[in-house]
Amino acid sequence: MKPVVKPVQSNEIEEVIEFAMRVRAEVFPMIDPSVLPKDFQHFTEQYLDRDDAIFLVARLGGKGVVGSIGVVPYDARIEAIEGRYPVDAAAEIVKCYVDPAYRRYGIGSLLVQELEQFVTGMRYTTLYLHTHRFLPGAVDFWERQGFTCIAEEQNEWQIVHMDKPSNF
């Protein structure tokens, strides 16, 4: 059975946040799971009420949400890549999570492909993301999606900054 990927609707927000926070807690046990990220605190304003952002989920039959991915305008907050993108030119991929029980079935790739379809109608020239070397297979996954490494931070977070031109 192939997952269905669709934009989150307002009646799904609570379920989607619960999914993402559960997977995030497994992937990043060092982050306090009781603190909701700002974008989730303002989910409707961040993802639903804008034409330059979107949040998608993958559903698999009766299993519910098995994956998520979002895109928002990149806000130039990261020092390691300061000045790389013109204002409003880059979109940042965020909250790309796949339920551990459903990894290695192509759900992450499907989420990225669907996200890219939505982004083609937006103003962005580049997709940006960051991941971490300590996440097994993460850098390889994004490289298979066509992203290239643009910077790495040698710190406890092992952050790898990656991007891809939006002429997919």
Side-chain angles (χ1 to χ4, degrees):
M1 176 180 273
K2 183 178 176 182
V4 175
V5 177
K6 292 187 176 176
V8 172
Q9 303 300 307
S10 57
N11 64 323
E12 301 172 306
I13 293 172
E14 187 176 324
E15 174 191 15
V16 169
I17 289 174
E18 181 182 307
F19 163 80
M21 292 300 289
R22 176 178 55 81
V23 177
R24 185 180 102 158
E26 294 172 23
V27 175
F28 299 107
M30 68 289 274
I31 298 176
D32 183 349
S34 69
V35 178
L36 207 59
K38 285 184 182 181
D39 61 333
F40 280 177
Q41 291 174 26
H42 306 285
F43 195 97
T44 299
E45 297 83 1
Q46 185 70 32
Y47 297 108
L48 305 185
D49 291 347
R50 309 172 62 143
D51 59 5
D52 61 354
I54 195 162
F55 202 89
L56 305 174
V57 290
R59 293 181 175 278
L60 188 61
K63 307 291 185 200
V65 177
V66 295
S68 69
I69 193 168
V71 71
V72 295
Y74 174 65
D75 61 7
R77 73 188 183 286
I78 300 173
E79 188 177 320
I81 58 168
E82 189 174 344
R84 183 171 177 89
Y85 308 112
V87 175
D88 295 331
E92 182 175 3
I93 293 177
V94 296
K95 311 283 191 302
C96 184
Y97 299 129
V98 174
D99 186 306
Y102 297 95
R103 291 190 184 142
R104 312 283 316 157
Y105 290 99
I107 294 171
S109 295
L110 181 62
L111 283 162
V112 173
Q113 291 166 10
E114 292 292 326
L115 183 77
E116 288 178 350
Q117 291 300 311
F118 281 97
V119 172
T120 57
M122 297 177 182
R123 66 177 186 261
Y124 305 114
T125 59
T126 306
L127 287 175
Y128 160 79
L129 65 89
H130 65 267
T131 188
H132 308 271
R133 283 275 175 209
F134 63 78
L135 297 176
V139 173
D140 290 340
F141 168 79
W142 289 110
E143 287 175 339
R144 286 194 308 275
Q145 306 311 309
F147 286 79
T148 56
C149 179
I150 56 172
E152 278 198 57
E153 295 182 55
Q154 305 300 320
N155 56 28
E156 69 275 10
W157 286 97
Q158 302 172 9
I159 299 171
V160 179
H161 301 276
M162 305 180 85
D163 70 10
K164 175 181 182 179
S166 65
N167 59 346
F168 345 97

